[in-house]
Amino acid sequence: MYKLLAAATDTALALKPLVANANHCEVVIAPVFTALGTVAARLEGSNVAVAAQDCAVQNEFGALTGEVAPMMLKDVGCSHVIIGHSERRQFYAETDDSVNKKAKAAIGAGLTAIVCVGEHLSDREAGNAELVAKTQLAGSLAGLTVLDMERIIIAYEPVWAIGTGKTATPEQAQEMHGHIRQNIAETHGAEIAERTRILYGGSVKPDNISSLMAQQDIDGALVGGASLEAESFAAIVNYK
C-alpha cells in the first residue's frame, strides 16, 4: 500500500526506459488498485506488464461490496494478479481454499495468477518449512488442470525474510524451490513442473539478485520494497 496515483505513474514511467532492453525476462509491476488503469494505459506498448495485488473469488457481477473481480482487472489492462501473498494470508484471513478459488477465477478471466506460498520463522525452526509449502501448494492448486497451470506462476516467500532485512541464503532458497518443483511434479506431472516459473520473494535487492538467480530452480523474483524506486527495481531486472 504505497504511492498515490501521480507517484505510481511517475515511478512506472521512470522504470519503462530503464528496462526497455530486458529481453531475458518478463517484467511485471503491481501498483495499488487505484492506479492500475492509469498505469496500464501509460505503459501500453511497452515490455512492462501490470498486475493487481489481489482479486475476488468471484468472476461475475454481484452484490459483493468492496470486491474487485478478475475480469475487472483484465478490463483495465492487467495481465497478472498476485494471489495469497503472505500479508493477505497473515492479516486478512486468506486461506488455501480462497487462494484456489481466486486462482481459478483469475484464469477464467484470462489473467496469469502469481500464487504465493511460504513459511513463518516458527515453521522453519520447527523443521516444517517443506510441509507448510507442500500443504499450501496442494490446497492452492487443487483441481487446476494441465492447461490451467500454464497460467500459474509460483512465488516462494519465506515470511521471516520479508521486510526484516534477512534473506534466505541462495542455498536455502534453492532447496525450497526444488521441493516446490517436486511437489508440482507429483500433483501435475514432471513436464508442468519443469515449465512452471517459481519466483523467490524475500528481501530481494540489487546486491543479492545475481546469487539468487544463479540457482537452478529460481526462475525470477517477487520484489517488495526494492521495487518502490525505479532505479533499484531496474537494477534487479538488469542484474546480468
Side-chain angles (χ1 to χ4, degrees):
M1 195 168 67
Y2 285 95
K3 298 184 185 290
L4 300 180
L5 178 58
T9 306
D10 288 347
T11 304
L13 292 178
L15 176 69
K16 183 178 172 181
L18 298 179
V19 298
N21 296 320
N23 300 317
H24 60 284
C25 66
E26 187 174 19
V27 183
V28 185
I29 60 172
V32 293
F33 280 116
T34 51
L36 287 173
T38 301
V39 168
R42 298 298 297 274
L43 292 176
E44 189 172 359
S46 76
N47 66 325
V48 182
V50 176
Q53 298 177 12
D54 191 22
C55 68
V57 301
Q58 300 88 356
N59 202 29
E60 60 279 328
F61 297 126
L64 300 161
T65 302
E67 291 298 299
V68 180
M71 66 174 176
M72 295 171 176
L73 301 176
K74 181 77 170 178
D75 184 52
V76 298
C78 291
S79 57
H80 296 65
V81 58
I82 300 169
I83 300 174
H85 189 279
S86 60
E87 290 153 11
R88 303 305 306 177
R89 291 178 182 268
Q90 185 174 358
F91 303 128
Y92 299 98
E94 190 83 273
T95 65
D96 296 335
D97 181 61
S98 61
V99 170
N100 182 246
K101 290 176 180 175
K102 289 179 179 184
K104 290 175 179 175
I107 292 167
L111 297 173
T112 294
I114 303 171
V115 175
C116 303
V117 300
E119 81 282 5
H120 289 266
L121 182 60
S122 58
D123 299 317
R124 175 160 284 272
E125 290 179 339
N128 293 327
E130 295 171 22
L131 178 61
V132 169
K134 182 174 184 176
T135 301
Q136 290 178 342
L137 280 170
S140 300
L141 304 181
L144 294 184
T145 66
V146 168
L147 189 60
D148 290 337
M149 288 296 293
E150 298 288 348
R151 302 200 76 95
I152 292 288
I153 296 171
I154 301 298
Y156 167 60
E157 304 179 288
V159 181
W160 49 273
I162 298 173
T164 63
K166 297 180 180 180
T167 309
T169 66
E171 293 74 23
Q172 286 174 317
Q174 165 58 31
E175 182 179 21
M176 288 298 293
H177 278 237
H179 285 303
I180 288 169
R181 200 175 302 281
Q182 180 58 38
N183 288 332
I184 296 172
E186 292 170 2
T187 57
H188 290 85
E191 186 176 346
I192 288 295
E194 186 61 32
R195 290 208 303 265
T196 299
R197 284 171 289 170
I198 307 174
L199 315 180
Y200 173 73
S203 296
V204 176
K205 298 179 176 65
D207 61 3
N208 62 26
I209 183 63
S210 293
S211 59
L212 289 165
M213 290 303 300
Q215 304 303 310
Q216 179 178 348
D217 289 300
I218 298 181
D219 303 315
L222 184 69
V223 185
S227 69
L228 294 175
E229 300 298 332
E231 292 76 12
S232 63
F233 185 55
I236 291 171
V237 172
N238 298 317
Y239 73 95
K240 291 188 174 182

